[in-house]
Amino acid sequence: MIRVLIADDQDMVRAGFRMILGAQEDIEVVADVSDGVEAVRRARELRPDVCLLDIRMPGLDGLEVTRQLAGPGVAAPLKVVVVTTFDLDEYVHAALQGGASGFLLKDAGPTLLIEAVRAAARGDALVSPQVTVRLLRHFGRKQRPDRSTRAKELTGRELDVVRAAARGLTNSEIGAELYLSLSTVKTHLASVQQKLGVRNRVEIAAWAWRNGIMDEES
């Protein structure tokens, strides 16, 4: 059972998310709160599998809550999915840099909301299709390529997996495309994360776009 905490300052949004998620046999909403301070307190108390956070909340905004629950230096980070109406590059970048496992727009629909929760719970990351491509291009513009020894440390198969992940493919889709088992895909991704020093597949994708790995696709 995936235990979820919802934090949003709008009562109707929280009720809607609770209804959508609560209808799933593998998901249980353990708390819903209306401000950032309470979100941090309840999340640390309940240790849910996934925290769904709005960005604009009283007390602490969702970006600061994300940093406190999942950011660099947090001893036992929680899985965070940021859900917002504000489709801004700065918000997306800050959320993912702060440790978020996913970023969704509130109009993404129930299916993506459910999948984002499940993806975060299993250690994947999901970003709304509406923002993914622009986000990765944004990462690419922010920094010049740093083709350090890190790229050379990756095997050819690992680079294939990196490119597929950077195009937004799921583990199952990567396996089907590259004729790999699901466990092999996961092993490659874990190896890549370790070699690159990144925390999730979104950071892998950002690294790939930033360092020109995607330009090498035939």
Side-chain angles (χ1 to χ4, degrees):
M1 185 68 69
I2 302 171
R3 301 169 64 253
V4 178
L5 176 144
I6 300 168
D8 194 294
D9 62 347
Q10 298 181 50
D11 294 343
M12 290 188 66
V13 170
R14 294 200 311 279
F17 285 175
R18 178 181 279 276
M19 180 179 67
I20 292 168
L21 297 175
Q24 307 306 307
E25 293 184 355
D26 59 334
I27 298 174
E28 175 190 7
V29 178
V30 295
D32 64 73
V33 299
S34 60
D35 68 82
V37 174
E38 186 69 0
V40 171
R41 187 185 73 81
R42 294 288 281 161
R44 288 174 174 169
E45 173 191 338
L46 296 171
R47 302 291 304 174
D49 298 302
V50 179
C51 300
L52 281 178
L53 305 179
D54 186 26
I55 284 185
R56 294 192 177 180
M57 294 187 293
L60 296 172
D61 66 28
L63 299 177
E64 179 57 32
V65 175
T66 298
R67 284 189 288 269
Q68 291 194 25
L69 297 180
V74 175
L78 294 170
K79 304 291 180 55
V80 170
V81 175
V82 174
V83 187
T84 182
T85 55
F86 303 100
D87 179 13
L88 299 177
D89 283 331
E90 291 75 15
Y91 284 159
V92 181
H93 184 264
L96 297 175
Q97 288 295 100
S101 297
F103 188 99
L104 286 176
L105 300 182
K106 287 183 179 175
D107 62 1
T111 301
L112 270 181
L113 175 67
I114 294 164
E115 179 53 31
V117 168
R118 289 174 176 157
R122 65 176 178 258
D124 290 340
L126 187 149
V127 179
S128 279
Q130 301 100 309
V131 300
T132 301
V133 173
R134 197 187 68 253
L135 165 67
L136 296 173
R137 288 175 178 167
H138 176 70
F139 274 126
R141 291 196 304 269
K142 293 285 283 187
Q143 300 181 18
R144 295 316 316 148
D146 176 20
R147 298 306 300 273
S148 65
T149 57
R150 287 183 172 181
K152 298 176 183 177
E153 291 174 1
L154 301 184
T155 67
R157 210 49 168 160
E158 286 172 347
L159 284 170
D160 290 340
V161 171
V162 165
R163 293 187 187 102
R167 292 183 0 246
L169 272 62
T170 66
N171 288 355
S172 297
E173 290 168 340
I174 293 172
E177 180 173 290
L178 299 179
Y179 302 101
L180 300 172
S181 70
L182 189 59
S183 62
T184 300
V185 173
K186 292 180 178 178
T187 297
H188 283 317
L189 286 171
S191 175
V192 169
Q193 286 180 211
Q194 182 177 21
K195 290 179 179 179
L196 299 183
V198 299
R199 292 169 296 177
N200 55 50
R201 69 197 299 119
V202 175
E203 291 186 9
I204 290 175
W207 176 87
W209 284 89
R210 186 171 60 240
N211 288 281
I213 304 300
M214 304 308 292
D215 298 336
E216 300 171 2
E217 284 198 293
S218 56

